[in-house]
Amino acid sequence: GDQTSNLTVCNGNKVNKDGYCVFNSKENKTLILIGDSHMQTLEKPLLEFSNKNKFKLIVLNRPTCFYFLDLDLIIKNKLSGCTAKYQEERRKIILSQSNATVIMGGRTPLYLSGENFDNLEGGGDNKKAKGFFYNSKNTSKSKKSNNNVLINKSLNKTIDDLKDNSVKIVLIYPIPEVGWNVSKKLITRLALSREGLEGIFESNPLTTSHKVFLERSKNIYKIYDSIDNENVMRIYPEKILCNSLIKDRCITHDKAKVFYIDDDHLSYDGAKLIVNKIEDALLF
């Protein structure tokens, strides 16, 4: 999470007396961005959009903390900061707002599988993330359940709860993980090539397999797709980054801009691509 702390827009003076981060507090339409460090990467472009279009913006992000009601996240056999109690606090803040749209997402393929990402081309690994699992609130830590089952149940409850309270939802599908540290790898390519980013994009672009992404994400797609709700607007980062400029591949840069800062977090330019789609959905 530390590599994204410089992406977050929530420094001291933006945190209100109730302990959360709010911008343009006088506006009557509200956007609430909620999720983990993958959602933190969207904060800057979303704030720019909110300023321009007169939205109040509330940021409820916390690294590795997707908005799952009733679940405690256990990491290395310790209760993490992402507890059912914290989710309840997030929920209260959301429901205290009128005319609100919640933008939610996160690195769900990791949370479902408990495994790191392996791009099957030499980047990353599929080792289990250390002791990473979910627990229903008020159950003992030793009783492990299947993450898939718990997350499916929690996510449906979380979305129904928003819907029952007339909160609009923008659901961000998974942001493709890369497996390599994009900045490091591109710096090496740039140093060796002399042709600049454009030349690299033409001759040796840094990409990953779309098929591997789809396989990695199929369980969460199944869960997301089964949410039957006309209040949910869906954003697919993969449709922007994969199989678009290069067939069957997910890009990490184009001829002019680099879209990731490391092996799975978007850069400002990458995040802007996603936020442009959110804008289209909000301003339709």
Side-chain angles (χ1 to χ4, degrees), residues 33-87:
L33 179 63
I34 185 167
D36 57 14
S37 61
H38 278 201
M39 294 299 99
Q40 275 180 334
T41 66
L42 306 181
E43 288 177 20
K44 252 188 205 124
L46 197 63
L47 176 57
E48 290 162 1
F49 167 77
S50 303
N51 291 342
K52 199 170 76 208
N53 295 282
K54 300 203 169 0
F55 281 92
K56 183 201 284 193
L57 174 64
I58 291 176
V59 177
L60 296 176
N61 288 331
R62 179 175 280 194
T64 60
C65 199
F66 194 95
Y67 183 39
F68 291 135
L69 288 175
D70 298 344
L71 293 186
D72 289 327
L73 174 61
I74 314 287
I75 300 177
K76 298 183 186 168
N77 284 323
K78 287 201 185 69
L79 193 56
S80 73
C82 191
T83 59
K85 191 166 171 283
Y86 172 63
Q87 303 290 20

Side-chain angles (χ1 to χ4, degrees), residues 25-202:
S25 56
K26 303 280 181 284
E27 301 296 349
N28 64 3
K29 295 176 298 189
T30 304
L31 297 180
I32 301 169
L33 179 63
I34 185 167
D36 57 14
S37 61
H38 278 201
M39 294 299 99
Q40 275 180 334
T41 66
L42 306 181
E43 288 177 20
K44 252 188 205 124
L46 197 63
L47 176 57
E48 290 162 1
F49 167 77
S50 303
N51 291 342
K52 199 170 76 208
N53 295 282
K54 300 203 169 0
F55 281 92
K56 183 201 284 193
L57 174 64
I58 291 176
V59 177
L60 296 176
N61 288 331
R62 179 175 280 194
T64 60
C65 199
F66 194 95
Y67 183 39
F68 291 135
L69 288 175
D70 298 344
L71 293 186
D72 289 327
L73 174 61
I74 314 287
I75 300 177
K76 298 183 186 168
N77 284 323
K78 287 201 185 69
L79 193 56
S80 73
C82 191
T83 59
K85 191 166 171 283
Y86 172 63
Q87 303 290 20
E88 203 43 56
E89 288 168 31
R90 280 169 148 181
R91 177 177 181 267
K92 284 200 182 85
I93 295 164
I94 293 169
L95 299 188
S96 71
Q97 304 298 315
S98 55
N99 202 358
T101 300
V102 161
I103 299 164
M104 62 187 285
R107 197 179 176 182
T108 37
L110 171 70
Y111 306 149
L112 258 76
S113 67
E115 281 177 14
N116 295 321
F117 177 63
D118 184 344
N119 67 22
L120 303 185
E121 295 174 5
D125 62 62
N126 59 357
K127 291 192 184 65
K128 285 271 183 225
K130 288 212 172 50
F132 191 101
F133 67 95
Y134 289 91
N135 234 333
S136 294
K137 64 175 181 194
N138 310 331
T139 50
S140 84
K141 272 215 305 270
S142 56
K143 228 174 107 347
K144 287 192 187 179
S145 261
N146 179 326
N147 275 358
N148 260 299
V149 174
L150 286 180
I151 285 174
N152 195 349
K153 194 177 147 197
S154 165
L155 190 62
N156 276 292
K157 176 177 173 166
T158 305
I159 299 255
D160 284 343
D161 177 56
L162 292 169
K163 181 175 72 176
D164 294 345
N165 287 286
S166 316
V167 178
K168 291 200 230 23
I169 301 158
V170 177
L171 182 59
I172 314 276
Y173 277 60
I175 290 164
E177 301 152 299
V178 183
W180 293 295
N181 184 312
V182 173
S183 341
K184 285 188 183 146
K185 227 173 160 65
L186 278 178
I187 284 168
T188 310
R189 276 187 197 185
L190 283 165
L192 296 173
S193 92
R194 292 212 192 93
E195 356 174 63
L197 207 51
E198 183 167 359
I200 287 176
F201 191 77
E202 305 281 330

Side-chain angles (χ1 to χ4, degrees), residues 197-198 200-201 245 251-259 273:
L197 207 51
E198 183 167 359
I200 287 176
F201 191 77
L245 288 183
I251 57 173
T252 64
H253 64 99
D254 63 12
K255 294 175 182 182
K257 296 188 167 107
V258 180
F259 300 137
L273 297 175

Side-chain angles (χ1 to χ4, degrees), residues 211-225:
K211 200 170 127 214
V212 168
F213 166 84
L214 292 171
E215 180 58 33
R216 165 83 163 168
S217 307
K218 70 171 192 244
N219 289 342
I220 192 63
Y221 267 65
K222 223 179 255 153
I223 294 174
Y224 282 170
D225 290 347

